[in-house]
Amino acid sequence: MTISRHLEHFHGLPVHDFGEPGEGPELPDAAAVAWRLAVEEWDAEESWPQLFARFAATVDLPRVRALIVGTWGESFENGPGPVREALLAERERLSGLRALFLGDITFEECEISWIVQEDATPLLTAFPALEEFGVRGGTSLEFPAVAHPALRRLTIETGGVDVAVVRGVAACDLPALERLDLWLGSSWYGANTTVDDLAPFLDGTRWPRLTHLALHNSEIQDDIAAALATAPVVARLHTLDLSMGTLSDAGAAALLAGQPLTHLTRLDLHHHYLTEAMQERVRTALTPAGVEVDLGEPETADGDGDRYVAVAE
């Protein structure tokens, strides 16, 4: 699970932590790694903007291609406003930036549902050459509709995201988008999206380059699967990801009864509630056609029959 450890690779680059002053070996080439900057909440000696100022004075900023923001202090109480302002102040020098992840925070540092975010889109609009953008944490997260000419990959990881964020993403003008990854989450932590809200993602009229669609970590995984059975977007996907949610035999059966899926390269269903018989049906229908099917290990509903998403709190 990605929230149990920090990113090790990002935008095709190995991650390098920018550490304390004088710490560690000689720094790598600015363009050769994805730089991770984090300030522990108990560290009062250096704020995130101060850390970034030292980074900007040490590293050849125009050659930095990928940047990862870890904890920015008390991430469970304060949003990343100072982080955003520090990055915006250096937007001209960050001319080579192509990838940005906001909130590479493990559950040991701060539970995903506790991470306070804010409007993430100013960082997108400030960097029009950005190709990859990711954000973790749904509390106070906003994502109003924006236009971005270059973004190829968008990731939003939450334990529960408000439908306003989903609708904002759906209304974005992203002509280069190839990969969308949404963790919808649990209603216990604010998830309130319905399958009708996902219609813009499914009708195939937006984002003509989209080939990887992940609508997962969801309590309505069965409804999503049923909607995808006839969704026009499926025909041009190579990867469909319905993992981490509450998928049951009903959802899997609806998916298999719909349009052909044999053109897919990969179908990800791990963390599911399928019976062994339904798992075998999925394998039999797709693996002979060369589809890589990830079923992982099945989950078990509790004594009341309740099913749970993989990442909530």
Side-chain angles (χ1 to χ4, degrees), residues 17-18 36-40 48 51 68-72 104 109:
D17 283 284
F18 185 75
R36 183 176 183 274
L37 280 70
V39 173
E40 301 294 347
W48 199 97
L51 173 65
I68 299 168
V69 177
T71 50
W72 48 81
D104 181 29
E109 294 169 324

Side-chain angles (χ1 to χ4, degrees), residues 35-264:
W35 296 90
R36 183 176 183 274
L37 280 70
V39 173
E40 301 294 347
E41 63 186 67
W42 53 84
D43 183 4
E45 296 182 1
E46 189 174 45
S47 67
W48 199 97
Q50 290 171 330
L51 173 65
F52 182 72
R54 181 162 56 84
F55 175 76
T58 306
V59 176
D60 188 1
L61 216 55
R63 300 192 68 249
V64 172
R65 294 187 55 80
L67 188 63
I68 299 168
V69 177
T71 50
W72 48 81
E74 296 181 339
S75 309
F76 57 90
E77 290 187 352
N78 302 306
V83 173
R84 180 183 65 183
E85 297 309 313
L87 293 173
L88 294 181
E90 291 286 7
R91 72 182 80 181
E92 292 187 5
R93 291 183 62 205
L94 284 166
S95 56
L97 190 66
R98 297 294 180 267
L100 176 63
F101 192 94
L102 182 62
D104 181 29
I105 300 171
T106 68
F107 67 83
E108 292 183 339
E109 294 169 324
C110 183
E111 297 284 3
I112 191 170
S113 65
W114 300 358
I115 301 171
V116 178
Q117 288 287 353
E118 54 187 33
D119 186 351
T121 57
L123 289 171
L124 268 180
T125 55
F127 299 101
L130 210 62
E131 298 174 356
E132 183 170 357
F133 182 70
V135 58
R136 179 177 296 166
T139 299
S140 300
L141 178 65
E142 299 178 21
F143 209 103
V146 294
H148 196 287
L151 194 69
R152 296 170 52 193
R153 179 171 180 174
L154 175 61
T155 300
I156 298 178
E157 300 177 352
T158 79
V161 66
D162 187 79
V163 67
V165 172
V166 175
R167 291 171 179 168
V169 172
C172 286
D173 182 10
L174 306 172
L177 193 69
E178 299 173 359
R179 176 168 179 158
L180 177 67
D181 190 335
L182 294 181
W183 296 20
L184 297 170
S186 166
S187 57
W188 286 98
Y189 296 97
N192 53 2
T193 298
T194 69
V195 72
D196 289 339
D197 298 309
L198 302 175
F201 303 120
L202 307 182
D203 65 17
T205 61
R206 301 187 65 79
W207 311 332
R209 297 185 181 181
L210 189 72
T211 58
H212 179 121
L213 179 61
L215 299 171
H216 55 167
N217 196 49
S218 176
E219 289 180 336
I220 60 167
Q221 211 71 69
D222 280 349
D223 294 339
I224 295 172
L228 283 163
T230 58
V233 71
V234 172
R236 54 183 171 85
L237 298 179
H238 64 62
T239 299
L240 178 59
D241 189 339
L242 304 178
S243 66
M244 301 170 59
T246 60
L247 187 71
S248 73
D249 281 12
L255 189 65
L256 291 178
Q259 62 189 303
L261 301 174
T262 52
H263 66 286
L264 293 174

Side-chain angles (χ1 to χ4, degrees), residues 29 40 85 164 246 282 293 304 313:
D29 180 81
E40 301 294 347
E85 297 309 313
T246 60
V282 172
V293 179
D304 296 323
E313 185 178 16

Side-chain angles (χ1 to χ4, degrees), residues 251-272:
L255 189 65
L256 291 178
Q259 62 189 303
L261 301 174
T262 52
H263 66 286
L264 293 174
T265 301
R266 177 176 171 82
L267 176 65
D268 192 346
L269 303 179
H270 81 270
H271 188 281
H272 59 79

